[in-house]
Amino acid sequence: MIFGVGTDICDVRRIQASLTRHGERFAKKILSDAELATWQRRSTRHGDRGLRYLATRFSAKEAFSKAIGLGMTLPMTWRRCEIASLPSGQPVIILHGELKTWFAERGLSAHLSVTDETDYAASFCVVEK
Ligand SMILES: CC(C)(COP(=O)(O)OP(=O)(O)OC[C@H]1O[C@@H](n2cnc3c(N)ncnc32)[C@H](O)[C@@H]1OP(=O)(O)O)[C@@H](O)C(=O)NCCC(=O)NCCS
């Protein structure tokens, strides 16, 4: 059965403004270690791809936080919710630490879809029990 759904739209220009203001510290607050490595790789090759990657992660994590009904309150944190990709490109959520335990204890599984276009990134998440 469906446990929850969550959606989020993120203004890429706001992510850019946070990056300009706080630099890498902002990315380090939002991204897991694995995501940070991907972000650094993409940013080095092409700044815009790094920015879009960060914006889609931001929106996906917010959508997930809504789907589980916690919002950004413990045990949900930005860095404990990692968005990875299958070889096909489909996004998958990998949880860490206390959030992983909380999620597993409830017998939950998550489905995620993300998209972005020019100034916006958006995500939709369904969590099943
Ligand atoms: C969910 C959250 C991450 C979204 O924040 P945001 O990016 O500022 O706002 P968005 O426009 O993307 O989303 C807001 C909507 O998320 C939804 N939402 C809020 N808390 C939620 C939760 N715990 N679970 C699911 N959805 C939630 C609401 O529908 C809200 O719209 P509304 O204010 O019109 O009712 C953030 O509100 C949050 O962490 N909330 C929970 C913790 C909290 O601070 N609660 C305040 C209690 S006084």
Side-chain angles (χ1 to χ4, degrees):
M1 70 174 213
I2 289 180
F3 178 83
V5 298
T7 185
D8 189 67
I9 182 163
C10 166
D11 190 330
V12 177
R13 294 161 295 191
R14 283 187 58 200
I15 300 294
Q16 175 66 75
S18 294
L19 266 180
T20 305
R21 218 174 313 123
H22 306 291
E24 193 163 310
R25 206 151 50 87
F26 176 65
K28 283 186 170 156
K29 182 182 149 197
I30 304 300
L31 302 175
S32 70
D33 292 342
E35 290 170 332
L36 192 68
T38 303
W39 174 73
Q40 281 164 336
R41 218 168 35 243
R42 292 198 187 178
S43 299
T44 307
R45 279 205 211 129
H46 197 298
D48 187 56
R49 280 196 64 209
L51 175 63
R52 292 186 169 281
Y53 178 80
L54 182 55
T56 49
R57 298 316 98 165
F58 190 98
S59 78
K61 292 168 193 229
E62 284 234 337
F64 175 77
S65 82
K66 294 175 188 176
I68 58 175
L70 293 178
M72 285 297 166
T73 58
L74 294 173
M76 175 68 199
T77 66
W78 295 102
R79 300 190 76 246
R80 284 179 187 157
C81 172
E82 177 176 317
I83 317 301
S85 301
L86 297 177
S88 64
Q90 184 183 343
V92 283
I93 296 178
I94 299 171
L95 301 177
H96 299 284
E98 287 167 45
L99 180 60
K100 181 180 181 174
T101 308
W102 182 93
F103 197 75
E105 277 172 356
R106 285 158 183 76
L108 302 178
S109 63
H111 308 273
L112 176 69
S113 178
V114 310
T115 184
D116 71 283
E117 174 64 48
T118 318
D119 293 331
Y120 297 96
S123 297
F124 182 65
C125 183
V126 175
V127 169
E128 270 187 288
K129 190 174 172 70

